[in-house]
Amino acid sequence: MLKGRYLKQAHLVVFLFVSLCALIVLFSLLREDNNRIAANQEQAGQQLNESIINALNGYELEVAGLAALFHSSQFVSALEFDTFSQTLINHKRIPVYNSFYAESVLATQKQNFIADRTQRSNGPFRILPEGERPLYLPITYAFPDKRFIGVDTLEKGVFFLYEGTQDWNTRQAKLIKPKTANDNFIVKPSQSSSLYVLSKNVYKDEANRSSNKENWLGVVAVSFDMSSMLQAISLKFDHDLLFRLSDITDSIEAKNYFYRSHSADIPEWSKREFDQTQIIYGGRIWLLESSYLDTSIALYDWGSILLPVVALLILAVFLSIYIRSLNSSFLGMMKRVNHQLEIDDLTNLYSRYFIHEKLDKAILKSKQKQGDLAVIFMDLDHFKTVNEAFGHEVGDKLLNKVAQRLTSVWPSDAVLGRLGGDEFLAFIELNGKMSHDDLKILCHEVITQVSHSYLIDNRTLTIGCSIGVALYPNFGDDAMTLVKNADMAMYKAKALGRSTYHFYDGDIGARLARNVKIETRLRLAMQNSQLRLYFQPKVNLDTLECVGLEALLRWNDEELGPVSPMEFIPIAEQSGIILPLGEWVIEQSCRQIAAWQSQGLTVPPIAMNCSAAQLKRDDFFSILLQNLNSYDISPDQVELEVTESMLIEDSERCSKLLQQVSRLGVKITIDDFGTGYSSLSYLKDLPFNCIKIDQVFIRDMIEDVNHAAITAAIIKMSQTLNLQVVAEGITSHKQLDRLRELGCTIGQGFLFGEAFHADHLAINDEKIKQSLLAEDG
């Protein structure tokens, strides 16, 4: 359970949580923006790639135009070629250095070809280099640089084309990297690393797809500089796009970059990962690598990123301030409620709730030290007579005086509290300072002091005090048993003539003998189906409509007669019979709901009391779920009532089970609220739907202002925590009216009718209303 000090830090937890969310959002947005930048960078690389392909396609169109010139005419003169080439070069934004036409010449045609070229050029024409070969491909026309005319482009080491690389029958353009050992044939020597030649075959009949080599006229080509082309293309792109190009046709591993968009010595080339794309064109392969020049930090869209992060941080600040304010109000309210429940307002002694809690801790301490502990139950003699004769105000003043005397008599190491009405409880460790004989003397002194006269409102009042004592561990090892035994001893003291004390001993053990007999007969009753299930209505105090039922066990034994649940239930819990008995109650309740529903009745939720032993079982949840499924009962038709004392016996296990039951849809009620001894923090940590005020407070709330105050505090606290509140044990109209004034909405008790057996089917709202109206009359 959360302690108050942890709750005080809730605003910091909220602030850290929302701040963590802001960091998560920040990193998510940065990741998304990284993806955006990477996608944009990749897109820019693709656009660059497309631009290069488009530029190469432009050169191919020029080569195709040259080829078309030869296709469209049987004879193309040098002048026509030069005129066409000049137009091509002048209109090309990215310059063409030279255009060529190389004609295919067979060995048998060589002399005629040379003679014809000599005649047409008005000068000598030679095919270089000299020599006899079966096929020649000399440059016939060239523009503007005519030094290449006559060069056989099939010869290695001479010019652009090599033997075997030019497929005469292909219609596709070929891109060639020029290489030559002859310096006279180098075009633009300073840029030869990025110089390329694009060539295309020319045919006499373009439609002729046969393998007849005589259909091949030759080759047209243009030379251009890739670097100039890339320089022109890069102007279209953002200057922050960093890219480079290398020819990897001959070797994929060798990356000789012949073009860089930026200076080769800037450090950005070695600091980043590049997007890589291969460009395949005309038989050559280039590797294009591109990346943004700026870092991701500079490219982030900081406005879109920081806006939600800053908004979340502002939200974290405001939420933490708001939660802190709520915590202060809540903790203040809880402190006031705890004080009301822990301290009795009338006597300023410990309340019934807190004295039980202190006793439980003292028992644990004594168990660890293997020491003895005495629990003393005190009841005032003839207090009721004084209260009825002079009124509650006088009675309250008398109780306050008694509390002062008790405080002065009991030693400082004793713990003293008021259980309610005129009942007080104290406990003290028995050690070297306090022996059994000292305790007897102390009890006698308490009776003497309490029995002295009191002067209240000019009246002299005299009362007595009866005391019962139960010793730990001889006559109980838990708070409930010790208080019960001390109470029994107190009644024995009253039976002995009042104003005396009595220690719980073997004489009272006769009660234990009855308990043993009850246990034996209870086992037989279960075997012989002698137990009965009765149902007591829960009523809306405003409308007097039945809004629920509480399942109650009834037992009429052949030998013992009617046995009260107050008597046999504790015995069943101690003996372990409570486990099969609890299963029987769950099964019978579900069976009865199903039976009523089959008759067409609208059945309100039925509450079943659960013991600590049941809740400790590992199979409790599965048993409950199995019965709901077997009888087809909706979970909201069932309600479990648990007592406060159960919540600290095994708080972690109990918490997990109640959370599991609540998620199923079953409502959970705290029974006998105000009589337990667990911490109030469970009200905010466990999934309770309802608080049931113990009937001890309802019974005396009209006569006892303290009980009325506690009842009012419980109702107010329940409303604040958004919990439903049920008052049990309502027997009079005065109680009903007072509870209505306090805001209690649901109650049960004999005022609305006694518990009934299912055979009598007394779910009748109108009957309840008529009964109450008749009593009013």
Side-chain angles (χ1 to χ4, degrees), residues 533-593:
L533 204 60
Y534 278 63
F535 300 91
Q536 185 173 33
K538 293 181 182 179
V539 175
N540 185 306
L541 299 185
D542 294 326
T543 64
L544 299 179
E545 295 178 350
C546 180
V547 295
L549 299 172
E550 180 180 3
L552 302 173
L553 269 176
R554 294 291 183 264
W555 177 28
N556 190 359
D557 187 69
E558 296 176 353
E559 183 177 338
L560 299 174
V563 184
S564 170
M566 298 295 293
E567 188 175 16
F568 71 79
I569 290 297
I571 297 173
E573 290 179 339
Q574 294 172 5
S575 62
I577 303 176
I578 194 67
L579 297 178
L581 191 60
E583 290 185 30
W584 183 84
V585 170
I586 294 175
E587 193 272 338
Q588 289 296 316
S589 298
C590 292
R591 181 195 295 271
Q592 191 58 63
I593 293 174

Side-chain angles (χ1 to χ4, degrees), residues 410-654:
W410 284 103
S412 59
D413 56 344
V415 180
L416 181 64
R418 179 182 175 227
L419 296 180
D422 59 346
E423 296 175 344
F424 296 86
L425 185 73
F427 60 87
I428 188 171
E429 293 185 19
L430 300 181
N431 46 38
K433 296 181 180 180
M434 178 65 64
S435 65
H436 285 72
D437 291 336
D438 294 332
L439 181 61
K440 292 179 181 179
I441 295 173
L442 182 59
C443 288
H444 183 271
E445 180 65 19
V446 169
I447 293 172
T448 301
Q449 291 295 327
V450 171
S451 300
H452 286 167
S453 298
Y454 299 87
L455 183 61
I456 299 176
D457 293 344
N458 298 320
R459 295 186 182 93
T460 301
L461 303 175
T462 303
I463 57 173
C465 179
S466 298
I467 295 177
V469 182
L471 300 178
Y472 168 86
N474 298 351
F475 299 105
D477 59 358
D478 62 82
M480 185 179 294
T481 303
L482 287 170
V483 173
K484 180 190 69 175
N485 290 341
D487 189 19
M488 292 175 63
M490 184 272 298
Y491 277 106
K492 180 67 175 178
K494 284 186 177 292
L496 293 175
R498 301 178 186 270
S499 294
T500 186
Y501 62 86
H502 188 82
F503 281 69
Y504 183 88
D505 55 19
D507 292 339
I508 307 178
R511 176 64 184 171
L512 298 177
R514 174 174 170 81
N515 291 349
V516 172
K517 193 164 190 176
I518 287 176
E519 178 183 345
T520 303
R521 298 296 299 174
L522 183 59
R523 294 183 188 275
L524 290 174
M526 290 187 62
Q527 295 175 6
N528 300 330
S529 302
Q530 294 176 348
L531 296 172
R532 293 289 182 269
L533 204 60
Y534 278 63
F535 300 91
Q536 185 173 33
K538 293 181 182 179
V539 175
N540 185 306
L541 299 185
D542 294 326
T543 64
L544 299 179
E545 295 178 350
C546 180
V547 295
L549 299 172
E550 180 180 3
L552 302 173
L553 269 176
R554 294 291 183 264
W555 177 28
N556 190 359
D557 187 69
E558 296 176 353
E559 183 177 338
L560 299 174
V563 184
S564 170
M566 298 295 293
E567 188 175 16
F568 71 79
I569 290 297
I571 297 173
E573 290 179 339
Q574 294 172 5
S575 62
I577 303 176
I578 194 67
L579 297 178
L581 191 60
E583 290 185 30
W584 183 84
V585 170
I586 294 175
E587 193 272 338
Q588 289 296 316
S589 298
C590 292
R591 181 195 295 271
Q592 191 58 63
I593 293 174
W596 278 335
Q597 289 179 340
S598 67
Q599 299 173 31
L601 297 174
T602 300
V603 185
I606 292 184
M608 297 174 285
N609 291 280
C610 293
S611 68
Q614 285 178 272
L615 296 179
K616 290 179 180 178
R617 292 189 59 170
D618 294 333
D619 59 351
F620 176 81
F621 182 77
S622 60
I623 290 173
L624 176 63
L625 186 60
Q626 180 181 354
N627 279 283
L628 292 176
N629 292 334
S630 297
Y631 291 99
D632 193 22
I633 302 299
S634 173
D636 59 11
Q637 287 290 101
V638 175
E639 183 178 337
L640 298 184
E641 293 189 1
V642 298
T643 59
E644 293 177 282
S645 59
M646 298 178 192
L647 303 177
I648 64 168
E649 294 182 9
D650 191 350
S651 59
E652 183 177 356
R653 184 192 195 94
C654 183

Side-chain angles (χ1 to χ4, degrees), residues 688-717:
F688 292 116
N689 306 99
C690 180
I691 289 179
K692 200 169 188 181
I693 306 175
D694 188 72
Q695 60 182 342
V696 69
F697 299 112
I698 307 301
R699 181 185 62 204
D700 298 327
M701 67 178 296
I702 303 302
E703 298 80 10
D704 191 330
V705 295
N706 294 306
H707 280 194
I710 291 175
T711 301
I714 294 173
I715 294 172
K716 182 63 176 178
M717 178 188 65

Side-chain angles (χ1 to χ4, degrees), residues 136 170 258 283 296 343 360 409 434 524 556 646 724 762 769:
Y136 304 89
T170 181
F258 63 83
S296 296
I343 303 298
D360 198 58
V409 175
M434 178 65 64
L524 290 174
N556 190 359
M646 298 178 192
Q724 201 174 56
K769 294 178 183 178

Side-chain angles (χ1 to χ4, degrees), residues 175-196:
L175 198 58
I176 304 146
K177 181 72 175 174
K179 295 181 181 178
T180 178
N182 191 333
D183 293 340
N184 292 325
F185 299 142
I186 296 295
V187 179
K188 301 280 185 180
S190 62
Q191 300 178 5
S192 59
S193 62
S194 59
L195 188 67
Y196 287 87

